[in-house]
Amino acid sequence: MIDIDFESKASIGFRFVFDMMEADSPYGAEYIKKPPVYDEASADELETELNNVGRAIATFADFKHDYSLIERTMMTMKDIRKTLSHMREASLDDVELFELKRFLLQLERIAPVYARLNEAARFSGIEIAADTEALDILDCDGTRTATFMISDRMSDALKRIRDEKRGIELKIRMSGSASEAERLRAERTVIAAREQEEEARIRREITTRLEPHVKTIERYIDGIGRLDFTIARARLAMRFNAAKPSLGGESVELVGMTNPMIAEALESRGKRFMPVSVRFERGTTVITGANMGGKSVSMKTAALNVLLAHCGMYVFAKSAKIPYFDGMHIVAEDMEDSRRGLSSFGAEIVELSKTVELSRGERRSLIILDELARGTNPDEGARIVQGTVKSLSRLNAVSVLTTHYDGVAQFATKHYRVVGLKNIDERLMKERIAARGESGVSVIEDCMDYRLEEMDGECPVPQDALKICEMLSIDGELLDDIRGAY
């Protein structure tokens, strides 16, 4: 089962994506708050969800008015699930009966519009229809107004009691003495008690008559929630020109993938997200590159899109092929265990061990390791990462590991390296920094090439850090000592 903790979801941009979606009903909002995550055991359901999103996208232009009518009606809906649950335990009160009637009226309004829309869209597994029989129980007068009261038509006995009460009330208004009025008011109190008893009996009777409709209403509630969630996903996909992922196979292939959370952060600084393409196969893929090179961004972007696909979402890429994963695990330095007293390195190692153990029991896993062992000394860190790459390669998993350590990729199935500053003209960069008086770091960020290039076997991590030191024109003596160390 794919189960990612909240911190990891936030880190890769998963929560950011779902926060961008807007549901119109409380039922759709529940799906956005707690989206279902599918695996190979529920592959048919996942394919259905993706197809439904595609059908919504395909019909938006021609059925804009129908979608708008449905969405406006969903906006007025309240969550009646507690009312339905209460119905199984006790009779409903007037407020609950009003809310149920109002929902059934909204359902009656949506049903013919959805039927017309669905004739073209052919949504699968989304059932929405009117429950006229249940509505008639609450609307015995046939007014179809969004109000509820215990009507005289619901009981001959109630009509007689109310007629009697109205007669007493008329006598009270016409009484000529205080003593007579007091006697009549006492009589009215007795009649009112009988009225309340009869109304309570009618509520029990209405609740009993409605109870067989609960499962049907709950099915339509689920249909509304799923339709609302489908529309929200489709709107997001159209906004970002997202792609429908192709599910199955053994390798993750993402072409031109992006990450909306990181893209927005870059745009706020006047920068642009550079799309990245990757192919991760069974075994261990190592991504190398100097700091500032975007290794973690590529890793998080791939993790985000794989997880979105397993939620029935279109992905932020030009195209995507994604296997069905039973487990997905992310290990990064900022682990929850560090807040319980373990060092960041200790927390990483504990989490890594748990991940390996869990993956051995899964049919296929995706394992993401971001800069493993950077919290320890470089010599030991490199050895720990080398051993981890060897171990992960024996699992039935697609593992992706980012590192700035040398000597790691020789044990990997595949090796990517961030292009970084490989193709820049250092002299021109220095001139630009000096001439324009810009922040040197900002200029370097603008010129950094965050694309990944596949390497043939092991190659040293590029010395971009040294290039950065040189271009920033740091103290001459300091720079000489750094070069000497190289």
Side-chain angles (χ1 to χ4, degrees):
M1 176 182 177
I2 298 176
D3 185 19
I4 309 295
D5 63 79
F6 183 86
E7 288 79 10
S8 295
K9 286 179 179 177
S11 174
I12 65 176
F14 183 83
R15 286 312 329 165
F16 181 90
V17 168
F18 277 82
D19 287 344
M20 286 194 294
M21 287 194 286
E22 295 182 2
D24 294 308
S25 71
Y27 313 113
E30 188 74 15
Y31 273 103
I32 291 176
K33 184 180 178 182
K34 298 178 181 177
V37 183
Y38 304 91
D39 54 22
E40 190 162 14
S42 49
D44 291 342
E45 296 173 57
L46 176 52
E47 197 63 42
T48 294
E49 291 299 313
L50 289 167
N51 288 338
N52 281 343
V53 173
R55 288 163 181 161
I57 292 171
T59 52
F60 261 131
D62 292 335
F63 291 86
K64 186 182 295 185
H65 182 65
D66 287 336
Y67 277 108
S68 180
L69 284 174
I70 290 172
E71 288 174 303
R72 286 203 303 271
T73 304
M74 289 194 296
M75 286 177 188
T76 64
M77 287 182 169
K78 289 189 175 181
D79 192 342
I80 64 162
R81 285 173 291 192
K82 287 185 178 179
T83 295
L84 297 177
S85 178
H86 187 209
M87 189 186 299
R88 295 185 173 100
E89 303 166 359
S91 61
L92 302 182
D93 60 29
D94 284 357
V95 173
E96 292 171 319
L97 291 168
F98 160 72
E99 289 179 346
L100 181 54
K101 180 185 176 183
R102 188 167 181 262
F103 173 79
L104 291 170
L105 285 168
Q106 292 163 330
L107 198 59
E108 192 172 65
R109 197 174 303 127
I110 283 180
V113 183
Y114 177 69
R116 182 169 61 244
L117 169 63
N118 197 35
E119 191 173 340
R122 298 295 179 187
F123 292 118
S124 178
I126 300 177
E127 184 181 0
I128 301 174
D131 193 335
T132 305
E133 186 178 332
L135 182 55
D136 286 342
I137 294 171
L138 293 165
D139 187 40
C140 63
D141 295 330
T143 62
R144 289 304 192 255
T145 56
T147 59
F148 177 80
M149 61 176 293
I150 303 295
S151 169
D152 290 356
R153 293 191 180 190
M154 293 180 175
S155 163
D156 291 339
L158 179 63
K159 186 177 185 307
R160 288 194 298 272
I161 292 169
R162 286 179 173 173
D163 286 344
E164 187 178 353
K165 188 175 78 170
R166 282 190 287 270
I168 292 293
E169 289 170 345
L170 179 60
K171 289 179 181 180
I172 291 172
R173 288 195 296 273
M174 298 179 64
S175 63
S177 67
S179 60
E180 177 66 9
E182 185 65 27
R183 183 186 65 77
L184 290 170
R185 278 193 289 271
E187 189 174 338
R188 182 193 179 284
T189 300
V190 174
I191 295 172
R194 287 167 47 208
E195 180 186 30
Q196 289 176 358
E197 288 176 5
E198 180 62 12
E199 286 176 349
R201 186 195 67 77
I202 292 170
R203 289 189 196 93
R204 288 194 297 272
E205 181 181 300
I206 290 173
T207 302
T208 300
R209 292 174 63 193
L210 287 170
E211 195 170 349
H213 295 268
V214 170
K215 287 186 178 179
T216 299
I217 295 170
E218 287 177 335
R219 192 166 69 248
Y220 297 154
I221 282 175
D222 182 64
I224 288 168
R226 291 186 63 188
L227 178 63
D228 196 4
F229 186 40
T230 297
I231 293 172
R233 285 178 289 175
R235 288 197 182 282
L236 187 72
M238 290 188 293
R239 174 182 165 187
F240 285 91
N241 196 27
K244 180 183 177 182
S246 172
L247 295 163
E250 298 292 326
S251 303
V252 175
E253 295 181 49
L254 290 157
V255 178
M257 64 176 180
T258 61
N259 186 315
M261 181 181 73
I262 299 171
E264 183 178 282
L266 289 171
E267 286 169 11
S268 69
R269 295 158 50 200
K271 301 181 186 301
R272 186 179 63 86
F273 188 100
M274 185 177 292
V276 179
S277 300
V278 294
R279 176 185 169 91
F280 301 144
E281 302 171 353
R282 182 189 178 282
T284 306
T285 297
V286 169
I287 303 176
T288 60
N291 291 333
M292 290 181 64
K295 302 185 302 297
S296 295
V297 169
S298 297
M299 178 274 296
K300 288 179 179 179
T301 300
L304 168 67
N305 284 295
V306 169
L307 184 54
L308 289 176
H310 282 77
C311 293
M313 299 276 292
Y314 275 36
V315 298
F316 299 99
K318 290 182 178 179
S319 66
K321 294 181 180 179
I322 298 171
Y324 291 104
F325 290 109
D326 301 308
M328 182 172 174
H329 312 277
I330 299 175
V331 180
E333 185 181 34
D334 183 20
M335 304 305 301
E336 182 68 24
D337 287 336
S338 64
R339 296 179 197 146
R340 298 202 296 261
L342 281 175
S343 67
S344 59
F345 172 69
E348 275 188 301
I349 296 305
V350 168
E351 194 65 23
L352 174 62
S353 178
K354 285 166 54 180
T355 293
V356 170
E357 186 177 347
L358 287 169
S359 297
R360 288 197 178 108
E362 294 166 348
R363 205 185 72 80
R364 185 186 292 111
S365 308
L366 175 65
I367 300 173
I368 302 290
L369 306 178
D370 186 21
E371 293 283 11
L372 181 69
R374 62 181 163 186
T376 188
N377 77 72
D379 288 339
E380 283 192 297
R383 288 173 173 78
I384 288 168
V385 175
Q386 290 170 1
T388 300
V389 169
K390 288 181 181 179
S391 185
L392 293 179
S393 296
R394 291 195 293 268
L395 297 174
N396 190 19
V398 174
S399 301
V400 184
L401 185 148
T402 67
T403 185
H404 60 273
Y405 291 135
D406 274 325
V408 174
Q410 61 181 310
F411 304 107
T413 309
K414 186 184 285 287
H415 177 200
Y416 283 107
R417 187 173 71 181
V418 179
V419 176
L421 301 174
K422 173 183 174 183
N423 300 316
I424 67 162
D425 186 318
E426 295 181 46
R427 183 181 58 81
L428 291 177
M429 283 281 289
K430 288 180 182 179
E431 290 176 358
R432 176 179 168 185
I433 293 171
R436 297 177 58 179
E438 298 180 67
S439 164
V441 173
S442 178
V443 173
I444 291 169
E445 284 181 339
D446 288 343
C447 296
M448 185 75 72
D449 189 338
Y450 296 103
R451 292 174 301 166
L452 300 179
E453 56 181 352
E454 188 172 350
M455 309 307 295
D456 185 14
E458 174 66 12
C459 64
V461 174
Q463 296 181 356
D464 282 350
L466 178 57
K467 286 184 181 179
I468 291 169
C469 291
E470 291 170 340
M471 285 185 290
L472 290 176
S473 300
I474 65 173
D475 177 83
E477 187 175 336
L478 172 61
L479 182 57
D480 287 341
D481 286 337
I482 290 173
R483 283 175 176 151
Y486 272 79

